[in-house]
Each structure stands twice: as C-alpha cells, then as structure tokens.
C-alpha cells in the first residue's frame, strides 16, 4: 500500500515518534499563527469601522456648534495612517505576503518531505489511542 492509498492520518511506515511529535508541534505553531492572523484581520476591520464612525462624530460636533473640534477630527484623525505611511490593509498585505506565506510554505515543505504531505499525524495517533 502506498502513502496515497492509506487512510487519512495514517503515518508513513518509516516515520518515528519524535518526527511525528515535531510535525505536530509545527502544525500547532501554524495554527497559532492562523489565530494571530485572524486577530490581525479583526484589527484591520475594527480600525476601518471606527474610522467610518468618525464621520458621524464630525456631523454631530458641527451640529452641536463645535466646528473647531469637528475640523480636528476630520483633518487630523479621519483617514490617519495607523503606522507611518500605512493603513491597516497595507499591514495585512505585508504580513500575508511575507511572514504568513513563508510560514505556510515552509510547513508544507517539511510535511511533504517527512510525512508524504499527511497532516495532523499527531492528532490522528491521539484519536486512535483515545478511541481504543
């Protein structure tokens, strides 16, 4: 039976326990990075939403007779870069194109080399052990 014919989660026959554990830890680290990426997308969306909410603040300040404060919000805060020369979408793109793409590519390369592309071998082993 070839690697491709074995059930999902079945480790290659020549893989040792330490390698399975290393792959499991690598997968766990990638999953943590996925969560961090999700938080970064939340940051992006929440920051953009807050910026759009400021339009109403400017309207209300003007209507309440505070045009000078409305101008400060409109001129100095709305559309402001969150980092020097960057809006949040640019941070996302740099993260995705740099660190994230490299991490996912490296994880796949290592998994392909050591486990024939099989994912979650550690978890599959745990499932078999806990269900037996």
């Amino acid at each position: 039976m070839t690697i491709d014919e074995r059930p999902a989660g079945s480790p290659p026959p020549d893989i040792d326990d330490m390698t399975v554990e290393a792959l499991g830890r690598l997968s766990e680290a990638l999953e943590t990075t996925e969560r961090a990426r999700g938080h970064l997308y939340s940051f992006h969306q929440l920051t953009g939403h807050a910026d759009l909410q400021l339009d109403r603040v400017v309207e209300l300040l003007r209507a309440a007779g505070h045009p000078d404060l409305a101008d400060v919000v409109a001129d100095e805060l709305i559309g402001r870069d969150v980092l020097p020369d960057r809006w949040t979408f640019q941070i996302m793109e740099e993260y995705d194109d740099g660190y994230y793409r490299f991490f996912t590519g490296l994880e796949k390369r290592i998994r392909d080399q050591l486990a024939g592309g099989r994912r979650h071998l550690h978890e599959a082993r745990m499932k078999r052990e806990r269900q037996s």
Side-chain angles (χ1 to χ4, degrees):
M1 176 181 307
T2 68
I3 289 175
D4 294 331
E5 294 169 338
R6 280 197 304 277
S10 297
D14 58 344
I15 196 165
D16 61 90
D17 290 344
M18 194 172 294
T19 300
V20 170
E21 182 178 353
L23 289 169
R25 300 282 181 164
L26 180 60
S27 175
E28 182 180 22
L30 179 57
E31 290 168 6
T32 301
T33 298
E34 293 286 2
R35 290 178 58 208
R37 183 172 179 251
H39 288 295
L40 197 53
Y41 270 90
S42 292
F43 163 74
H44 162 62
Q45 291 179 345
L46 290 169
T47 301
H49 182 67
D51 191 69
L52 293 173
Q53 289 175 315
L54 292 172
D55 292 337
R56 182 68 176 145
V57 172
V58 170
E59 290 173 17
L60 290 170
L61 286 171
R62 287 193 199 292
H66 309 289
D68 52 333
L69 295 176
D71 288 344
V72 170
V73 173
D75 298 341
E76 297 180 29
L77 184 56
I78 290 178
R80 186 181 184 92
D81 292 341
V82 296
L83 292 175
D85 300 319
R86 285 185 182 74
W87 270 23
T88 57
F89 78 90
Q90 293 167 301
I91 297 167
M92 295 303 312
E93 288 177 356
E94 289 177 27
Y95 180 84
D96 278 350
D97 294 344
Y99 182 82
Y100 180 75
R101 182 175 292 162
F102 181 82
F103 196 144
T104 57
L106 183 60
E107 185 274 340
K108 183 178 182 332
R109 190 170 80 213
I110 291 171
R111 183 171 30 87
D112 286 349
Q113 182 176 337
L114 297 177
R118 296 270 192 233
R119 293 178 290 175
H120 298 105
L121 295 179
H122 180 75
E123 290 89 340
R125 176 182 291 159
M126 187 184 323
K127 176 183 176 183
R128 286 190 303 276
E129 290 170 358
R130 293 184 66 80
Q131 290 181 345
S132 60

